[in-house]
Amino acid sequence: DMGEWKMAVQIYFNALEVDDLSEEFYQRLMICYRNQGRLADARAVYERCRTVLEGVLGITPSEKTVEIFRSLTRQGR
């Protein structure tokens, strides 16, 4: 149901406002956007995740996060 996806988006968005280093929140937000067909928003979340993790922790996103991002690319074709 789209209403549930929209509610989940708000929850994960708010969670990232509290803890923007939680890669799992980015992953779940990307999935919510993907399931709504909002691929550009999901890609923007990936870019934010990558920027924050690299800038603050000096690390790249995990393979799981990268795979979610790749699924967006495949879906957008």
Side-chain angles (χ1 to χ4, degrees), residues 50-74:
R50 187 179 59 76
T51 300
V52 169
L53 294 179
E54 288 178 0
V56 177
L57 301 177
I59 62 172
T60 59
S62 70
E63 185 57 36
K64 181 176 180 179
T65 302
V66 171
E67 183 52 40
I68 295 168
F69 176 72
R70 287 183 187 137
S71 78
L72 303 171
T73 304
R74 287 191 298 269

Side-chain angles (χ1 to χ4, degrees), residues 17-59:
E17 293 299 311
V18 174
D19 182 4
D20 68 348
L21 296 177
S22 174
E23 193 170 356
E24 186 174 350
F25 293 155
Y26 291 106
Q27 293 168 354
R28 292 182 181 193
L29 183 55
M30 289 166 58
I31 290 167
C32 289
Y33 280 142
R34 181 184 65 195
N35 289 341
Q36 293 180 65
R38 295 172 60 184
L39 302 182
D41 290 327
R43 288 183 188 107
V45 170
Y46 173 79
E47 291 303 326
R48 177 180 169 195
C49 175
R50 187 179 59 76
T51 300
V52 169
L53 294 179
E54 288 178 0
V56 177
L57 301 177
I59 62 172

